[in-house]
Amino acid sequence: MSVLKVSNLSKTFGGIRAVTDVNLSIEKGEIIGLIGPNGAGKTTFFNLLTGIYNPTSGEVVYDLNRIISTRDLKPYKITHYGIARTFQNIRLFQNMSVLDNVLMGFHNGLKYGIASALFKLPSYYKTEKNTFEEACVLLDKFNLLDKKDEISKNLSYGDQRRLEIARALAAKPKLLLLDEPAAGMNPKETKELKELITWIREAFELTVIVIEHDMSLVMEICERIFVFDYGILIANGTPEEIQRDERVIKAYLGGEEQC
């Protein structure tokens, strides 16, 4: 069953075509790799999926049971419907604690209203208690519970990446978008990240799309790979098919961009 369908999607910035007529469909439970040279349009594509940009033309449809389009939806609305993401440059609340960062991820699911919060009604305390417990469970799964009171900017780089993913999962998404999660990681951290992404898919019953330059990670964990070049989707297929595709070798795998 498809969880995401993209039809003739394009984005133009002042005459520059960043994404051009992209068509693809993502099935429930897949781990998808998104690769291509720097400037190929990968992050712009993520921004179109998450409502940061509105498409110049075309459409993004997710949660196909309800046929919800991202056009004209704000990012917080898209999160509400089941898409969460991380960013190429880590975007934590640097001066907040590890726990508070994760608690922020739960904000779309809070059930009490303004009156309950102002007057500290029982529903407020119950929801806050349940959210705190859920956050601690999530941090425990990411081996961060013992650091819950630390300021996030003081964490190691690998721990900050894991915290950002944990915060995204607090929104209880159906589709998780990871933008270069292995960037800046050493080989040990990258190996742990591979295991973490595979575990996340199973434990949280998610569909995952990963933008990544580390080909060992992409080829090892992804069932299908989509390749962008100059904003155009030039190929898609299994890791084995992509490695043999002459267009991909010429545009990316045979060049200096490979990491």
Side-chain angles (χ1 to χ4, degrees), residues 95-127:
N95 293 311
M96 291 173 61
S97 71
V98 168
L99 176 62
D100 284 341
N101 266 273
V102 174
L103 289 173
M104 290 295 292
F106 284 96
H107 74 279
N108 267 343
L110 297 180
K111 301 301 182 183
Y112 58 78
I114 294 175
S116 294
L118 285 175
F119 297 105
K120 301 296 189 290
L121 299 179
S123 60
Y124 166 81
Y125 286 109
K126 181 179 179 181
T127 301

Side-chain angles (χ1 to χ4, degrees), residues 14-46:
I16 298 174
R17 298 184 72 104
V19 172
T20 303
D21 294 328
V22 172
N23 292 276
L24 58 83
S25 181
I26 307 296
E27 301 300 311
K28 182 178 179 181
E30 287 188 297
I31 299 179
I32 298 293
L34 199 62
I35 68 173
N38 289 327
K42 305 182 297 295
T43 295
T44 298
F45 181 69
F46 264 23

Side-chain angles (χ1 to χ4, degrees), residues 22 34 65 82 92 109 123 192 218 224 257:
V22 172
L34 199 62
N65 289 328
L92 295 172
S123 60
E192 292 172 349
V218 172
R224 287 195 295 151
E257 293 290 347

Side-chain angles (χ1 to χ4, degrees), residues 100-232:
D100 284 341
N101 266 273
V102 174
L103 289 173
M104 290 295 292
F106 284 96
H107 74 279
N108 267 343
L110 297 180
K111 301 301 182 183
Y112 58 78
I114 294 175
S116 294
L118 285 175
F119 297 105
K120 301 296 189 290
L121 299 179
S123 60
Y124 166 81
Y125 286 109
K126 181 179 179 181
T127 301
E128 288 290 302
K129 179 176 181 293
N130 290 342
T131 301
F132 174 83
E133 291 172 352
E134 286 187 64
C136 287
V137 168
L138 198 53
L139 287 172
D140 189 38
K141 289 180 178 179
F142 281 79
N143 296 318
L144 292 169
L145 184 58
D146 61 337
K147 300 176 182 178
K148 67 181 176 65
D149 296 319
E150 290 189 27
I151 300 301
S152 64
K153 67 181 180 182
N154 295 333
L155 296 178
S156 69
Y157 188 86
D159 281 349
Q160 287 189 42
R161 278 289 182 195
R162 293 209 310 276
L163 176 57
E164 190 181 34
I165 295 172
R167 185 181 63 187
L169 291 174
K172 300 181 180 178
K174 300 173 185 175
L175 175 62
L176 178 64
L177 311 179
L178 303 176
D179 194 347
E180 296 195 31
M185 287 189 171
N186 61 42
K188 180 177 181 293
E189 289 171 332
T190 300
K191 181 178 182 296
E192 292 172 349
L193 178 66
K194 293 176 188 178
E195 298 169 354
L196 179 64
I197 293 172
T198 302
W199 173 78
I200 285 170
R201 188 260 299 269
E202 302 301 328
F204 293 88
E205 299 182 348
L206 290 176
T207 305
V208 183
I209 307 178
V210 185
I211 292 177
E212 189 51 68
H213 285 289
D214 188 315
M215 289 299 98
S216 67
L217 185 151
V218 172
M219 296 297 173
E220 186 172 328
I221 69 172
C222 296
E223 286 100 3
R224 287 195 295 151
I225 299 170
F226 294 93
V227 187
F228 278 72
D229 190 32
Y230 293 106
I232 299 170

